[in-house]
Structure formats: structure tokens, C-alpha cells
């Protein structure tokens, strides 16, 4: 159960409708998170370390991530995160 990470270009993001998705923001913090649904998100600003049983990632602006349903992880936000997101 791995986190997928991509770096799509502007055209791919527009075709997927990413810029019409809701925006979530969170200040520097560290917390446990469980995904009960698959989440797709695009990082607009900020940086965070995401650690799960399967991955240890640093995410930054321009990253497109897919968090699978059932994933448990720790978010360690280094600088305020702002992202577009949607659930499957």
C-alpha cells in the first residue's frame, strides 16, 4: 500500500480538473492520519514529511499524490501546506 507520487505538467492538471478541487491548508504540525478513502491531491505550497509502514516521502509544491484507502501515516508539516484534494 504505497503512496504514488507524480510531477504532472500544467496541461495534465487542467485536464484532470485539479484546480477546481477544494483547497486544504494546515500550519506546521505533526499528526497521525488514516485514509478511509483514496485521496488525490496536488501540493500548491509548503513542505511535509509523510511516513508510513511502506514509504518515507518529502512532499513539496508541484507534487501530485495518491494516498490509497486504508493507509495509516504520520504527517510532519515543515512549512504550511496548501493543497487541492479530492476523494474517490
Amino acid at each position: 500500500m504505497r503512496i504514488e507520487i507524480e510531477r504532472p505538467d500544467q496541461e495534465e492538471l487542467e485536464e484532470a480538473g485539479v484546480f477546481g478541487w477544494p483547497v486544504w491548508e494546515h500550519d506546521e504540525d505533526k499528526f497521525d492520519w488514516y485514509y478511509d478513502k483514496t485521496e488525490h491531491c496536488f501540493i500548491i505550497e509548503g513542505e511535509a514529511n509523510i511516513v508510513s509502514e511502506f514509504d518515507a516521502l518529502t512532499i513539496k509544491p508541484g507534487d501530485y499524490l495518491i494516498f490509497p484507502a486504508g493507509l495509516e501515516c504520520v504527517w510532519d508539516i515543515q512549512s504550511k501546506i496548501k493543497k487541492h484534494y479530492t476523494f474517490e
Side-chain angles (χ1 to χ4, degrees):
M1 186 174 309
R2 301 189 67 97
I3 300 166
E4 294 180 45
I5 186 167
E6 303 170 359
R7 301 276 302 174
D9 63 28
Q10 186 77 14
E11 186 177 326
E12 291 171 308
L13 294 167
E14 289 173 2
E15 285 176 13
V18 169
F19 302 112
W21 296 350
V23 173
W24 179 83
E25 298 179 58
H26 200 86
D27 291 325
E28 293 176 18
D29 195 4
K30 186 173 183 176
F31 55 90
D32 296 329
W33 195 253
Y34 174 76
Y35 289 89
D36 58 353
K37 298 178 186 170
T38 297
E39 178 183 332
H40 291 245
C41 69
F42 177 71
I43 307 302
I44 303 166
E45 64 184 53
E47 187 172 296
N49 298 315
I50 312 291
V51 179
S52 74
E53 176 183 352
F54 310 98
D55 295 291
L57 307 171
T58 298
I59 62 172
K60 56 192 177 305
D63 288 344
Y64 183 97
L65 300 120
I66 302 172
F67 295 96
L71 179 75
E72 294 180 52
C73 62
V74 175
W75 276 73
D76 186 1
I77 301 173
Q78 304 300 304
S79 61
K80 183 178 179 176
I81 283 284
K82 186 174 183 180
K83 67 177 183 174
H84 287 288
Y85 71 96
T86 191
F87 293 100
E88 287 184 354

